[in-house]
């Protein structure tokens, strides 16, 4: 009998037995003002601690770190063709004989020291800390009464959530938990399968064994394949589990990996949000007469009183202020009126021996950009299976601590200004859009206590920063600037304000490799509309002209990324996106034009427009995004000196597929 037939028969039997249990859901909600409706949750107001905090660190950690092969291991090891399946069969054996249940005992966390790590995180600037509570692997990291597969009874035999919480409280950090259970029920169904070919074809994986269905879940209905299950039994299970987590640890923040659980209109997810808010109000009311009075006012119809909830629920869905929207590995393009959060990682989500960690510059620039747009940054600091950090990760945290020691006043407790900043990048924003190559041309604003901070995302080579938003138009009474200083520098700065902007000359010695943060005081400060002038690209000493990604004007989601140690334009999968430059040719001449491309598709045509002249190229298939092949576009003839606009676009928008494009080089002949 095949594994598929076993699954179908089991599902039919279980469904028949469970019908009587699915007529109604049991969703107890703590008494309080919030009900499980969008209308009621609209009365929520994000607490000030979260708006002030700006930066949190996340421990996305658990048994899936053991193979050191990256994210989604527990699922991928049951999918032939997946890199996790290949690794697992080569190192542990076939998943019919050695499954994920057998990985769990290998997670010992023998070097995990939450107290020491929390000290590092606090020094690095974190104001809140989030512990993984349960990933899609259905393994609980707390002292639960509902599940035998947990970290207290198995693996490290420690209450991971509880120990993280104790350390966070000790060092004054707010504490949160992340739950990824909602997707687990369908996510883990690959464990019930079997190989379709090879010597083990038809042999069920260990997930097909009903003795382990409390870990792998029982078989899902054939049409139940979405991120969130349609099965009310699993919806009830999710509610019971997350209620235990909330009621036991009372976290300051609860993160759900997805939208509102089981859909925005679904009572299960909305009930949990209402319960989370209400239980916090009730707990604080029981502790303090002042809180009690505030809570009473709240119940009498004043939901924005001091008695409102001081907890944060965050999920990957727009909220209208009902909760905090989380954007995975992404950004907002402009200021959001509601507080929001990016969750991202310095590497893969789980430890991956093949991934390089992000540099501290990337972390800093992401943080500054988010804060300027009313957002927070939740950063996963990747831990080894034993709970320790790699030396380069500790070095990054130390660099971050050094940067924060100088720049913290412009970040923590700040609020957005009238505009988020000045940018040459035209980005759409959204999830999985985070690899931007910022430069000193990018300026971000924050404000606090009547002070305006202008933070350049780099140190300009000419030591000059021009802030065009702070121009002084002729005859205008706005932007009366009184003082300009540089964080981390005690000396006097030279600055000049004209109708073109505020130009500040920085000191010769860099305060930071990553930013230059100006502290500006004055009156009637406002943003003067302006058009961002293009970067003028000129020949180098050899007469070559380099059209590099970091100097380009970007439209859409195409953005610079580093591949093979060099910058390239990545994520160019939309034919409407474009990149452009302005090139200054000092004299007439001929240039050989070359670039390099990578694509997993191949034969993708593109055009480089030099004013009215065009040169065409073809990106061939290179098998990998990291393998680049040189493309010779031919000879450009420049007939007279001057500034020429250059733009790269698809040759045929209808045939366009994703391409990575490196610097375009013009070589004089």
């Amino acid at each position: 009998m095949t594994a598929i037939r076993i699954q179908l028969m089991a599902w039919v039997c279980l469904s028949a037995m469970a019908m009587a249990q699915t007529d109604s859901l049991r969703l107890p909600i703590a008494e309080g003002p919030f009900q499980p409706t969008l209308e009621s949750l609209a009365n929520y107001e994000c607490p000030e601690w979260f708006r002030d905090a700006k930066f949190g660190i996340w421990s996305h950690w658990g048994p899936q770190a053991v193979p050191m092969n990256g994210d989604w291991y527990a699922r991928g090891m049951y999918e032939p063709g997946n890199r996790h399946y290949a690794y697992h069969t080569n190192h542990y054996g076939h998943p019919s004989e050695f499954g994920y249940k057998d990985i769990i005992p290998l997670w010992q966390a023998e070097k995990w020291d939450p107290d020491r790590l929390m000290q590092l995180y606090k020094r690095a600037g974190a104001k809140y800390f989030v512990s993984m509570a349960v990933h899609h692997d259905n393994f609980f990291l707390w002292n639960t009464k509902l599940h035998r597969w947990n970290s207290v009874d198995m693996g490290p035999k420690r209450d991971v959530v509880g120990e993280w919480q104790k350390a966070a409280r000790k060092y004054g950090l707010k504490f949160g938990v992340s739950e990824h259970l909602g997707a687990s029920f369908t996510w883990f169904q690959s464990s019930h399968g079997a190989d379709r070919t090879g010597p083990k074809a038809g042999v069920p994986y260990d997930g097909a064994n009903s003795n382990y269905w409390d870990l792998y879940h029982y078989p899902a209905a054939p049409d139940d394949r979405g991120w969130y299950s349609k099965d009310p039994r699993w919806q009830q299970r999710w509610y019971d589990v997350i209620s235990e987590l909330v009621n036991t640890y009372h976290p300051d923040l609860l993160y759900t990996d997805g939208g509102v659980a089981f859909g925005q209109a679904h009572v299960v997810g909305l009930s949990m949000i209402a319960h989370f808010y209400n239980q916090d109000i009730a707990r604080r009311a029981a502790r303090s007469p002042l809180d009690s009075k505030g809570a009473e006012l709240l119940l009498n119809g004043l939901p924005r009183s001091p008695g409102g909830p001081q907890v944060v629920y965050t999920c990957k869905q727009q909220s209208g202020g009902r909760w905090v929207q989380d954007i995975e590995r992404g950004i907002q393009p402009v200021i959001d009126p509601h507080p929001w959060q990016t969750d991202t990682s310095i590497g893969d989500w789980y430890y991956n021996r093949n991934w390089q960690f992000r540099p501290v510059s990337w972390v800093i620039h992401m943080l500054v950009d988010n804060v300027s747009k009313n957002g927070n940054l939740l950063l996963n600091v990747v831990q080894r299976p034993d709970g320790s950090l790699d030396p380069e990760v500790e070095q990054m945290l130390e660099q971050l601590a050094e940067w924060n020691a100088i720049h913290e006043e412009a970040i923590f407790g700040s609020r957005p200004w009238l505009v988020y900043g000045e940018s040459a990048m035209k980005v759409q924003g959204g999830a999985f859009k985070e690899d931007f190559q910022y430069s000193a041309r990018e300026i971000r604003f924050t404000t606090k206590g009547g002070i305006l901070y202008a933070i350049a995302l780099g140190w300009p080579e000419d030591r000059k920063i021009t802030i065009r938003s702070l121009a002084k138009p002729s005859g205008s009474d706005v932007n009366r600037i009184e003082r300009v200083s540089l964080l981390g520098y005690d000396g006097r700065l030279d600055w000049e304000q004209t109708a073109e902007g505020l130009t500040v000359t920085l000191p010769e010695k860099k305060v930071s490799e990553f930013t230059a943060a100006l502290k500006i005081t004055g009156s009637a400060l406002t943003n003067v509309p302006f058009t961002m002038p293009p970067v003028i690209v000129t020949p180098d000493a050899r007469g070559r002209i380099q059209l590099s990604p970091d100097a380009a004007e970007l439209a859409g989601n195409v953005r610079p990324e580093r591949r093979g140690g060099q910058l390239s334009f990545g994520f160019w999968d939309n034919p409407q996106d474009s990149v452009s430059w302005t090139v200054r040719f000092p004299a007439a001449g001929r240039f050989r034009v070359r670039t390099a491309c990578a694509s997993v598709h191949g034969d993708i045509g593109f055009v480089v427009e030099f004013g009215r002249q065009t040169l065409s190229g073809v990106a061939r298939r290179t098998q990998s995004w990291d393998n680049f092949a040189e493309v010779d576009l031919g000879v450009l003839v420049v007939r007279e000196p001057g500034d020429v606009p250059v733009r790269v676009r698809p040759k045929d928008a209808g045939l366009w597929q994703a391409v990575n494009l490196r610097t375009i080089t013009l070589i004089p002949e």
Side-chain angles (χ1 to χ4, degrees):
M1 183 179 293
T2 66
I4 293 176
R5 288 179 62 193
I6 293 173
Q7 286 187 17
L8 289 173
M9 292 176 64
W11 180 81
V12 170
C13 294
L14 285 169
S15 295
M17 295 169 59
M19 286 301 293
Q21 303 174 19
T22 59
D23 293 338
S24 62
L25 293 166
R26 303 173 303 282
L27 307 174
I29 300 173
E31 183 178 353
F34 289 99
Q35 301 300 315
T37 66
L38 294 176
E39 293 75 18
S40 177
L41 295 176
N43 292 317
Y44 172 76
E45 185 171 346
C46 183
E48 290 297 295
W49 75 256
F50 183 81
R51 300 197 67 195
D52 290 343
K54 307 304 181 187
F55 181 50
I57 284 180
W58 188 10
S59 174
H60 194 291
W61 183 53
Q64 290 183 86
V66 167
M68 298 193 290
N69 207 48
D71 196 23
W72 280 31
Y73 187 90
R75 171 172 164 168
M77 60 169 282
Y78 293 105
E79 297 176 337
N82 189 298
R83 64 185 177 87
H84 294 317
Y85 176 91
Y87 182 88
H88 189 86
T89 53
N90 288 333
H91 290 79
Y92 300 111
H94 192 264
S96 64
E97 301 165 351
F98 193 102
Y100 185 64
K101 69 181 188 307
D102 303 299
I103 291 287
I104 289 171
L106 304 180
W107 184 46
Q108 295 295 308
E110 59 272 21
K111 294 183 180 179
W112 177 47
D113 184 348
D115 189 279
R116 176 182 177 275
L117 292 177
M118 203 63 65
Q119 290 184 66
L120 291 177
Y121 299 156
K122 180 176 182 179
R123 175 170 163 74
K127 298 297 186 288
Y128 59 107
F129 177 85
V130 176
S131 167
M132 172 75 71
V134 52
H135 198 251
H136 310 315
D137 64 352
N138 195 29
F139 186 79
F140 295 5
L141 304 188
W142 73 92
N143 192 12
T144 176
K145 298 178 181 178
L146 301 177
H147 198 35
R148 65 170 170 146
W149 300 92
N150 68 80
S151 64
V152 176
D153 295 326
M154 297 182 180
K157 297 188 177 180
R158 297 171 67 175
D159 181 355
V160 174
V161 170
E163 290 192 42
W164 276 129
Q165 184 180 52
K166 180 180 178 181
R169 296 281 188 255
K170 177 179 177 180
Y171 292 102
L173 277 67
K174 295 288 186 177
F175 178 73
V177 291
S178 70
E179 68 84 12
H180 310 241
L181 180 64
S184 175
F185 308 108
T186 54
W187 183 91
F188 226 169
Q189 290 298 309
S190 60
S191 66
H192 293 252
D195 291 0
R196 295 187 177 184
T197 61
K200 296 283 189 178
V203 177
Y205 303 144
D206 67 330
N209 186 335
S210 60
N211 292 329
Y212 304 118
W213 283 356
D214 54 346
L215 176 64
Y216 300 116
H217 309 298
Y218 52 77
D223 65 344
D224 195 6
R225 299 180 178 179
W227 185 253
Y228 287 137
S229 172
K230 299 183 292 184
D231 190 328
R233 293 168 295 168
W234 278 332
Q235 295 168 1
Q236 181 69 62
R237 172 66 174 176
W238 177 89
Y239 196 86
D240 293 343
V241 167
I242 305 308
S243 293
E244 182 195 59
L245 178 64
V246 167
N247 296 341
T248 302
Y249 296 92
H250 302 289
D252 301 300
L253 180 147
L254 173 62
Y255 165 108
T256 287
D257 187 19
V260 173
F262 309 107
Q264 181 170 287
H266 204 292
V267 67
V268 175
L270 296 182
S271 294
M272 177 53 62
I273 300 173
H275 173 68
F276 186 48
Y277 293 166
N278 286 344
Q279 60 87 34
D280 178 69
I281 295 171
R283 288 182 68 247
R284 288 188 300 104
R287 290 200 308 263
S288 165
L290 178 62
D291 282 353
S292 178
K293 180 180 179 181
E296 193 171 298
L297 288 172
L298 186 67
L299 290 167
N300 288 335
L302 297 175
R304 298 189 186 278
S305 76
Q310 293 301 299
V311 294
V312 172
Y313 176 75
T314 178
C315 68
K316 297 171 183 177
Q317 189 167 323
Q318 290 186 341
S319 70
R322 297 172 178 87
W323 52 83
V324 170
Q325 180 186 5
D326 181 272
I327 303 177
E328 182 174 351
R329 293 191 182 273
I331 65 169
Q332 291 280 24
V334 295
I335 296 173
D336 191 318
H338 303 294
W340 59 279
Q341 174 181 269
T342 289
D343 74 282
T344 190
S345 178
I346 61 171
D348 204 343
W349 285 116
Y350 283 102
Y351 193 91
N352 189 331
R353 62 171 60 83
N354 299 313
W355 273 48
Q356 291 186 339
F357 294 118
R358 304 284 195 177
V360 70
S361 58
W362 179 88
V363 177
I364 290 169
H365 292 162
M366 175 76 83
L367 174 63
V368 174
D369 184 69
N370 281 19
V371 171
S372 74
K373 298 170 182 175
N374 205 27
N376 286 21
L377 175 63
L378 177 61
L379 182 71
N380 177 42
V381 175
V382 184
Q383 290 169 252
R384 297 181 64 87
D386 63 13
S388 64
L389 304 179
D390 282 346
E392 56 265 45
V393 176
E394 297 215 16
Q395 181 183 20
M396 183 273 291
L397 291 170
E398 182 60 32
Q399 290 176 304
L400 194 56
E402 293 172 356
W403 183 86
N404 272 314
I406 295 172
H407 298 86
E408 61 182 355
E409 72 171 86
I411 301 298
F412 303 110
S414 70
R415 296 292 183 267
W417 192 46
L418 302 172
V419 292
Y420 75 86
E422 300 180 5
S423 177
M425 297 182 182
K426 302 176 180 65
V427 298
Q428 296 175 3
F432 301 100
K433 298 166 184 174
E434 63 178 358
D435 290 310
F436 297 98
Q437 192 70 27
Y438 294 110
S439 69
R441 294 187 71 212
E442 300 291 318
I443 296 172
R444 300 294 183 264
F445 297 122
T446 64
T447 184
K448 182 170 62 177
I451 296 171
L452 177 64
Y453 298 92
I455 308 169
L457 302 185
W459 191 276
E461 292 185 6
D462 62 1
R463 298 171 31 230
K464 294 186 181 298
I465 296 176
T466 297
I467 306 171
R468 291 167 178 81
S469 299
L470 295 178
K472 182 73 172 176
S474 178
S476 170
D477 197 35
V478 301
N479 289 336
R480 298 190 296 272
I481 295 175
E482 300 167 1
R483 187 171 186 270
V484 180
S485 59
L486 176 69
L487 297 187
Y489 177 69
D490 294 331
R492 178 182 174 277
L493 294 180
D494 291 330
W495 56 274
E496 179 185 17
Q497 189 182 25
T498 68
E500 301 300 318
L502 170 67
T503 299
V504 181
T505 302
L506 301 179
E508 292 186 5
K509 184 179 180 181
K510 294 181 180 180
V511 169
S512 169
E513 293 287 338
F514 317 117
T515 55
L518 299 174
K519 183 176 181 179
I520 302 167
T521 57
S523 59
L525 299 183
T526 189
N527 62 304
V528 175
F530 69 95
T531 299
M532 194 76 172
V535 173
I536 305 297
V537 182
T538 58
D540 62 18
R542 296 180 296 172
R544 292 190 172 202
I545 298 173
Q546 303 277 351
L547 303 180
S548 62
D550 56 346
E553 301 283 340
L554 307 176
N557 285 320
V558 59
R559 56 195 184 275
E561 65 169 344
R562 194 165 293 278
R563 289 282 186 178
Q566 296 186 40
L567 281 179
S568 67
F569 293 108
F571 307 92
W572 196 343
D573 53 7
N574 188 335
Q576 305 305 316
D577 295 349
S578 65
V579 299
S580 59
W581 302 262
T582 298
V583 178
R584 178 162 296 166
F585 291 99
R590 292 167 56 89
F591 295 85
R592 174 67 61 177
V593 182
R594 292 174 179 160
T595 186
C597 297
S599 176
V600 299
H601 306 292
D603 295 338
I604 311 299
F606 62 95
V607 172
V608 184
E609 299 175 342
F610 295 90
R612 296 182 179 180
Q613 296 186 64
T614 61
L615 297 176
S616 298
V618 175
R620 305 294 183 186
R621 184 176 183 180
T622 59
Q623 306 295 332
S624 165
W625 295 116
D626 293 312
N627 295 331
F628 284 78
E630 186 173 284
V631 180
D632 191 325
L633 289 89
V635 175
L636 172 69
V637 179
V638 178
R639 304 192 182 281
E640 58 184 20
D643 292 350
V644 176
V646 179
R647 185 170 78 105
V648 184
R649 61 170 176 81
K651 186 173 184 178
D652 186 333
L655 299 177
W656 183 256
Q657 296 187 75
V659 167
N660 278 7
L661 179 75
R662 274 193 179 153
T663 295
I664 298 174
T665 304
L666 283 64
I667 306 169
E669 291 193 333

